Amino acid sequence: MYILFKNCRIFNPVDRGVPCGGNNQGELAAFPDGALLVADDGRIVAIGEEHEVTKEASTLSKVKTRDMQGKCLIPGFVDPHTHMCFATRREAEFELRLAGTPYLEILKKGGGILSSVRAVAEATESELYEVTRKHALSALKSGTTTLEIKSGYGLNTESELKQLRAIGKLAREGVQDVVATFLGAHAIPLEFKNNPDEFITLVIDEMLPAVVEQGIADQCDIFCEEGVFTIEQGRRLLKAAKAQGMKVKIHADEVHDLGGAGLAAELMACSADHLLAASDENIRAMAAQGVVANLLPATAYSLRKPYARARFMIDNNLPVALATDCNPGSSYTESMPFVIGLAVLNMNMTPAEALVAATLNAAYSIGMADKVGSLDVGKQADFLTLDGDSPAILAYHAGVSPVQEVYKKGVRVV
């Protein structure tokens, strides 16, 4: 059985086999009278102008037709950076930040990430799964059909593996494609406060082999920042992860320019994330190595900080992706439409550039571009319909989601 989705206005990123930077960042193939032909395995068979796709469909047997009533159709969103596997929210901390307490000061006092670590230690795996599932379903309603979820609220082997098991269960049982990332080096545990090198050794010698044996996470991340981990500590861990066959990424230059973006370029990481303080030199180094810049504008919004320099990055041929950074502290949102609106209105991205960032480039940053991120023959039919004439509605209609329907592998799930 095939399904022919006809009478729709399709806007689709152009996948040339590499992440889109520079002039390609905002390139969309548009089909004003478009159609999409999907096989029963959820893969795309044809896409283009309706008369051409209909002609191809006429050569097949058992084709069901669905009239999309002229709606705007885009790929499903890919959220490449989330921490939505956590136990409790941190509303009191939010009020502290509003009152002017810096995040790193909150962290030093045992708040921030460390408070989430204590909550995860006390939570059962089932409780972690239910919280994660709740956030994933909320993201799905806003159009996210693929997402990355990190561990990192464990900071010991047992709790990190517990988080990853909860994430793995969602990957098996949930609607979305889920990519798991090991973030054992998310913060320095209190017992290692005066010896972070020893903790990194523990992560490398004990946690990393256990995570690889578990087989759920295929990516490794680390938070390099003043008061957290140094660039050399990041280099040690990420090189060890690569040696174990894992892909690597890095929380880089969020508050201070430590050179995390340069380390991402050196190691040819999948992505460097945050980058609010990244230098011109290291941005260009990332571009030269094909590293994707995962930008998290909702975090800058929540922390009331200057936004990452998306325009400079794009103009220097660095592929930009967008993510929610959904977490209980610095960015409590699952909404990619909200993130796209922030990127357009506060980071000087065009609606087309933001759409590519939230779909195809995001897929490249988590190693999923062969399956999702654009509507191409052979990829999954993950797509959305919007209440608008074009993807610009995502930024134009502020404060609400214009996503009307969500399809995963050709099946309507919202």
Side-chain angles (χ1 to χ4, degrees):
M1 173 68 72
Y2 297 85
I3 302 178
L4 174 64
F5 297 91
K6 68 173 189 177
N7 187 21
C8 50
R9 288 172 288 109
I10 299 174
F11 296 86
N12 188 36
V14 178
D15 187 357
R16 290 187 168 86
V18 293
C20 303
N23 292 332
N24 294 335
Q25 173 84 46
E27 186 178 7
L28 299 176
F31 303 103
D33 300 301
L36 192 67
L37 183 62
V38 180
D40 58 4
D41 64 355
R43 304 286 173 174
I44 297 170
V45 176
I47 180 173
E49 294 296 341
E50 183 176 311
H51 68 277
E52 296 175 349
V53 178
T54 301
K55 183 178 180 181
E56 182 165 349
S58 68
T59 66
L60 304 171
S61 59
K62 297 182 179 179
V63 177
K64 182 179 179 180
T65 300
R66 173 167 288 183
D67 188 337
M68 303 303 286
Q69 301 177 332
K71 292 178 180 177
C72 176
L73 189 150
I74 62 172
F77 299 130
V78 178
D79 189 346
H81 183 128
T82 84
H83 303 261
M84 62 175 60
C85 182
F86 59 85
T88 58
R89 296 181 291 196
R90 300 188 336 230
E91 291 176 49
E93 178 186 314
F94 177 67
E95 292 193 272
L96 281 175
R97 288 195 287 104
L98 291 178
T101 306
Y103 173 72
L104 292 180
E105 183 177 329
I106 293 171
L107 185 63
K108 287 177 183 177
K109 294 179 179 178
I113 292 170
L114 295 178
S115 67
S116 289
V117 169
R118 290 191 295 271
V120 164
E122 295 169 359
T124 66
E125 183 179 326
S126 177
E127 289 169 337
L128 287 176
Y129 169 74
E130 288 301 329
V131 171
T132 310
R133 177 177 175 271
K134 173 186 173 182
H135 292 112
L137 287 175
S138 175
L140 182 68
K141 292 175 182 177
S142 294
T144 298
T145 52
T146 299
L147 69 160
E148 182 257 22
I149 307 176
K150 303 177 192 294
S151 66
Y153 294 131
L155 303 190
N156 63 56
T157 304
E158 179 184 354
S159 289
E160 288 290 316
L161 294 178
K162 178 171 66 173
Q163 275 196 279
L164 289 171
R165 285 194 300 271
I167 296 167
K169 182 177 181 181
L170 181 67
R172 294 191 307 273
E173 299 181 2
V175 174
Q176 294 128 309
D177 284 303
V178 175
V179 174
T181 297
F182 168 56
L183 181 56
H186 195 191
I188 303 170
L190 291 177
E191 60 268 32
F192 290 92
K193 183 177 181 180
N194 297 318
N195 199 348
D197 279 330
E198 186 178 335
F199 178 66
I200 290 295
T201 298
L202 174 69
V203 175
I204 293 171
D205 291 347
E206 181 180 310
M207 291 192 204
L208 192 58
V211 168
V212 171
E213 182 179 2
Q214 184 187 50
I216 294 171
D218 67 350
Q219 301 184 137
C220 181
D221 197 347
I222 184 171
F223 185 13
C224 288
E225 185 53 73
E226 277 190 20
V228 195
F229 298 105
T230 67
I231 295 302
E232 183 51 39
Q233 289 163 346
R235 182 179 288 108
R236 281 182 61 205
L237 173 56
L238 296 182
K239 287 181 74 172
K242 289 189 76 170
Q244 293 272 1
M246 300 186 83
K247 294 173 284 189
V248 298
K249 49 187 37 196
I250 179 172
H251 282 57
D253 306 330
E254 178 180 3
V255 182
H256 302 94
D257 178 20
L258 295 191
L263 178 62
E266 173 191 329
L267 298 179
M268 292 185 285
C270 297
S271 70
D273 301 27
H274 286 292
L275 301 172
L276 278 68
S279 69
D280 294 0
E281 177 185 2
N282 285 335
I283 286 171
R284 294 188 179 105
M286 284 177 57
Q289 295 298 332
V291 180
V292 177
N294 273 345
L295 305 186
L296 316 173
T299 309
Y301 169 85
S302 178
L303 296 177
R304 297 191 289 190
K305 290 183 174 293
Y307 290 82
R309 296 183 294 152
R311 184 78 269 138
F312 179 84
M313 295 175 186
I314 293 169
D315 291 345
N316 280 272
N317 298 310
L318 177 59
V320 167
L322 293 171
T324 63
D325 193 22
C326 177
N327 74 80
S330 60
S331 181
Y332 190 37
T333 180
E334 310 92 338
S335 173
M336 287 296 283
F338 174 60
V339 166
I340 289 170
L342 290 177
V344 171
L345 294 172
N346 293 293
M347 296 203 303
N348 202 24
M349 296 178 72
T350 68
E353 289 170 342
L355 178 62
V356 172
T359 53
L360 184 57
N361 280 358
Y364 270 107
S365 79
I366 57 171
M368 289 287 289
D370 60 327
K371 296 180 180 179
V372 301
S374 61
L375 302 173
D376 294 308
V377 173
K379 291 191 180 185
Q380 295 175 185
D382 297 358
F383 60 90
L384 320 172
T385 61
L386 303 178
D387 178 23
D389 295 330
S390 75
I393 190 67
L394 292 161
Y396 172 61
H397 196 178
V400 298
S401 172
V403 175
Q404 291 187 316
E405 298 173 314
V406 180
Y407 290 79
K408 185 68 177 175
K409 296 182 181 179
V411 176
R412 189 171 69 185
V413 291
V414 174

